[in-house]
Amino acid sequence: MFGKPKAAGGKLGIYIHIPFCRSKCDYCDFYSLAGQEDKMDSYQKALLAHLKETAFAARDCSIDTIYFGGGTPSCYGEKRLRGLLAAIKKYYQVSKDGEITLEANPDSVDFKSLKLLRRAGFNRISIGLQSARQRELDAVHRPHTVEQGDEAVAAARKAGFANLSLDLIYGLPGQTISSWQDTVEHALALEPDHLSCYGLKVEEGTPLAARVAQGERLLNDDAQATLYLWTVSRLAKAGYGQYEISNFAKPGFASRHNLRYWLTQPYIGFGPGAHSDFGGRRYSWLRDLDGYIKGVLEGGKLLDTEDLIPQEERGSEYLMLRLRTAKGIEEWEYRGTYFMDFGPIEERLRLFEGQGWAEKTAEGRWHFTPKGFLVSNQLIADLLERQEHARLSDLLPRAQARFQGRK
Ligand code: SF4
């Protein structure tokens, strides 16, 4: 099996991937399987073994976020979920105020199971509502109704979840500006503490991609941009601060686990396809349920990818990930951590500022505006190009000096 991760200290997040779903949604390219419930028990055995054997490497870490994502964790059965959380608490040092999130779909939760999960320690729930129009849910084969979404929110609140998030998707087939606005209003009436609003993406190999290839038309980029900018301003009025491109929260309710990805803080993932950034390495497990179970329980191949991350790559990650957040980037943070010149980056940011895409705060932090978030991929690609250029121009004189020193 894969060599043990190098021990590390400090704060750490744990991600548990539950790769089971009732059925597949047309747009989904996450690693998740429908109709494989018979494998849940062996998967549980593998996860428990993997958690136990990794614990030693994380013995000096304080676990301050745990995230059960998928797939659909809520269809895995509350008993198994409680078993996993109990094992994490047994083998790892979980902080008292740790954020412990469960992703759930409306059709696989009820008050009784949510109450048991809340009592076991889950303290945040993220419910996949996606749309308040049945026709739009049906158009992508979501496995639940709008009413089930409302009932799931009520059951979660009654079970004691004081930190509740809803996921919504804009750009669904058949959606219009006004039906999206209705969905947002419907979600606001449910009073979530956090909202994630994602633009629909047509991922290669999905049934949706096949439909589009056969001529089905979706909202174009301009229409999606209109929906996005309307959403940012509507949610701001309702008291939800935008802290990342697609994420909005009432004060104090930003997802600590998701922020750790964008702020490049360490985490360990468990399950097929799960990624980790731990002990100075980034690695991921096989995207194959049977292979993962076999790899853990019988010692076969388990590792899919593994990289040691050089400092300059960390510098690129800093730009790519931090600029997704409202916190943005700052000159001395960048210079002091990655030893790179901020000048060429700032020059471009000033240009972006002129276009209304970026802003500099009074504290000297640069961040994108909502208009900038819309084109963030292009803006970040531009900054990475400047960074690479600056790095190479810095390397050349150093290499020349070394060469001359040898003569
Ligand atoms: S429920 Fe979520 S993970 Fe499962 S198929 Fe649908 S989008 Fe994908």
Side-chain angles (χ1 to χ4, degrees):
M1 210 178 101
F2 162 59
K4 303 268 182 283
K6 218 172 102 209
K11 289 188 174 177
L12 182 68
I14 289 183
Y15 172 77
I16 307 284
H17 189 66
I18 305 295
F20 301 98
C21 286
R22 288 248 160 103
S23 55
K24 281 295 280 186
C25 307
D26 281 9
Y27 55 85
C28 179
D29 78 333
F30 296 129
Y31 182 69
S32 70
L33 309 160
Q36 307 263 332
E37 290 75 9
D38 57 322
K39 295 187 178 152
M40 286 182 180
D41 285 337
S42 1
Y43 185 54
Q44 179 80 349
K45 228 187 258 173
L47 278 180
L48 290 171
H50 203 184
L51 279 165
K52 187 174 178 186
E53 76 175 38
T54 309
F56 187 71
R59 65 192 178 281
D60 297 326
C61 298
S62 159
I63 309 298
D64 67 340
T65 66
I66 303 171
Y67 195 100
F68 285 69
T72 311
S74 54
C75 81
Y76 191 53
E78 54 78 20
K79 205 165 160 205
R80 291 190 190 92
L81 294 168
R82 286 192 291 133
L84 291 172
L85 186 55
I88 295 173
K89 288 183 173 175
K90 179 174 168 194
Y91 302 133
Y92 297 79
Q93 298 179 49
V94 178
S95 338
K96 277 208 177 80
D97 67 341
E99 177 194 89
I100 305 176
T101 303
L102 175 77
E103 274 185 0
N105 267 352
D107 56 312
S108 50
V109 287
D110 57 38
F111 170 68
K112 202 173 142 216
S113 60
L114 287 174
K115 179 106 187 141
L116 289 167
L117 290 166
R118 179 69 194 92
R119 205 178 285 157
F122 286 90
N123 54 24
R124 182 173 185 273
I125 187 163
S126 171
I127 300 176
L129 198 75
Q130 314 309 0
S131 169
R133 289 282 171 98
Q134 193 58 47
R135 170 164 64 72
E136 293 170 11
L137 294 175
D138 295 343
V140 286
H141 295 110
R142 288 287 301 173
H144 56 88
T145 62
V146 177
E147 290 70 34
Q148 281 176 316
D150 298 351
E151 286 159 16
V153 171
R157 289 300 197 195
K158 196 169 157 214
F161 282 90
N163 188 348
L164 184 147
S165 176
L166 297 177
D167 275 8
L168 304 177
I169 300 180
Y170 59 92
L172 286 170
Q175 196 171 54
T176 61
I177 293 182
S178 88
S179 76
W180 167 249
Q181 291 174 336
D182 286 352
T183 286
V184 172
E185 297 302 338
H186 187 106
L188 287 175
L190 294 171
E191 302 185 344
D193 308 291
H194 181 282
L195 275 157
S196 299
C197 301
Y198 299 107
L200 181 73
K201 283 210 179 77
V202 181
E203 303 287 358
E204 224 177 285
T206 60
L208 184 65
R211 283 162 54 176
V212 169
Q214 279 162 19
E216 180 165 336
R217 297 189 61 174
L218 299 172
L219 287 185
N220 63 25
D221 288 353
D222 285 351
Q224 281 218 14
T226 306
L227 296 187
Y228 178 75
L229 293 175
W230 177 84
T231 307
V232 172
S233 105
R234 176 66 188 99
L235 295 186
K237 266 191 218 128
Y240 294 82
Q242 181 175 26
Y243 69 97
E244 195 265 348
I245 297 178
S246 311
N247 285 282
F248 307 82
K250 287 264 170 82
F253 286 96
S255 159
R256 280 158 51 196
H257 187 83
N258 287 340
L259 270 172
R260 105 172 306 127
Y261 299 139
W262 302 314
L263 301 181
T264 56
Q265 294 164 348
Y267 57 91
I268 310 189
F270 295 89
H275 287 252
S276 304
D277 184 346
F278 179 62
R281 286 183 311 164
R282 210 184 298 110
Y283 52 91
S284 66
W285 307 121
L286 282 184
R287 214 176 133 92
D288 167 20
L289 177 62
D290 295 330
Y292 178 84
I293 295 173
K294 195 159 180 266
V296 174
L297 297 179
E298 295 170 30
K301 176 178 156 62
L302 183 58
L303 195 64
D304 188 21
T305 59
E306 184 186 18
D307 294 307
L308 268 173
I309 316 297
Q311 192 69 352
E312 66 263 20
E313 205 177 304
R314 291 276 177 198
S316 309
E317 270 185 357
Y318 172 82
L319 293 182
M320 272 190 288
L321 298 171
R322 293 270 175 128
L323 280 168
R324 293 181 62 95
T325 69
K327 191 174 158 88
I329 60 174
E330 197 267 334
E331 175 171 2
W332 291 102
E333 208 169 66
Y334 181 75
R335 280 183 194 272
T337 316
Y338 308 106
F339 310 109
M340 288 193 248
D341 183 9
F342 195 67
I345 302 288
E346 185 148 44
E347 198 181 300
R348 297 302 290 172
L349 287 167
R350 287 203 186 289
L351 212 97
F352 299 163
E353 188 179 29
Q355 300 290 328
W357 293 328
E359 272 169 5
K360 193 175 186 180
T361 63
E363 297 77 45
R365 300 196 72 88
W366 281 99
H367 64 91
F368 289 158
T369 60
K371 258 174 84 183
F373 279 144
L374 267 175
V375 285
S376 58
N377 286 347
Q378 292 92 309
L379 302 187
I380 291 171
D382 181 287
L383 294 177
L384 291 177
E385 210 176 289
R386 304 291 145 170
Q387 185 191 52
E388 183 60 7
H389 190 256
R391 195 176 68 81
L392 292 177
S393 0
D394 188 37
L395 276 180
L396 189 62
R398 278 202 249 162
Q400 278 168 342
R402 257 207 307 274
F403 180 67
Q404 277 157 5
R406 247 192 267 135
K407 279 203 286 188

